[in-house]
Amino acid sequence: GPPTRLWKRVKRLYNRGVIASGIVVGVFVPYFVLRGLLADTLQLRDPTRRYRTYRSNRGMSVAHDWIDWLGGWPFEVAKPEEIVDFFRARDFELVKLKTVAGSPGCNEFVFERR
């Protein structure tokens, strides 16, 4: 849908060169910061906590994660059921699934061989 098309354009632009990547970072990093600040403020949470605990939850700094997301190319999209069907056909069973419920980000899957 539209969000996928937007991120595809953003990622392509980011990977066109230093100037293009600087523009993408200059636009989206402030957007990510403000979005997080707004969400934390509306939910009465400490806005600095998300940055202090990020590395322990994700294994990388928030800045590295943002750059990884913005510059991640090639960019592929699949519905969760397409992923599950693909692995089931290869004798794997879904053990755990964490989705982002339509928001930007990546779903996480854990499969085991049957």
Side-chain angles (χ1 to χ4, degrees), residues 1-47:
T4 299
R5 288 190 290 278
L6 168 70
W7 286 117
K8 186 175 183 179
R9 287 187 197 110
V10 168
K11 290 165 181 288
R12 280 182 138 165
L13 177 62
Y14 180 96
N15 283 283
R16 285 202 175 138
V18 174
I19 294 171
S21 64
I23 291 168
V24 169
V25 168
V27 168
F28 283 94
V29 167
Y31 164 74
F32 294 151
V33 170
L34 291 173
R35 183 182 67 183
L37 179 62
L38 181 61
D40 290 336
T41 301
L42 290 174
Q43 295 176 14
L44 304 175
R45 293 186 303 213
D46 174 7

Side-chain angles (χ1 to χ4, degrees), residues 2 17 24 33 35 41-42 46 49 53 57 68 71 74 77 80 83 89 110:
V24 169
V33 170
R35 183 182 67 183
T41 301
L42 290 174
D46 174 7
R49 186 173 191 270
T53 62
N57 294 329
D68 184 55
V77 178
I83 303 293
V110 177

Side-chain angles (χ1 to χ4, degrees), residues 69 98-100 103-109:
W69 172 254
K98 179 180 174 186
T99 66
V100 292
S103 64
C106 299
N107 296 322
E108 299 175 19
F109 302 83

Side-chain angles (χ1 to χ4, degrees), residues 50-51 54-55 58 60-68:
R50 81 173 45 240
Y51 303 108
Y54 198 88
R55 185 181 300 271
R58 290 279 298 156
M60 67 178 91
S61 73
V62 68
H64 278 96
D65 203 8
W66 288 338
I67 298 304
D68 184 55

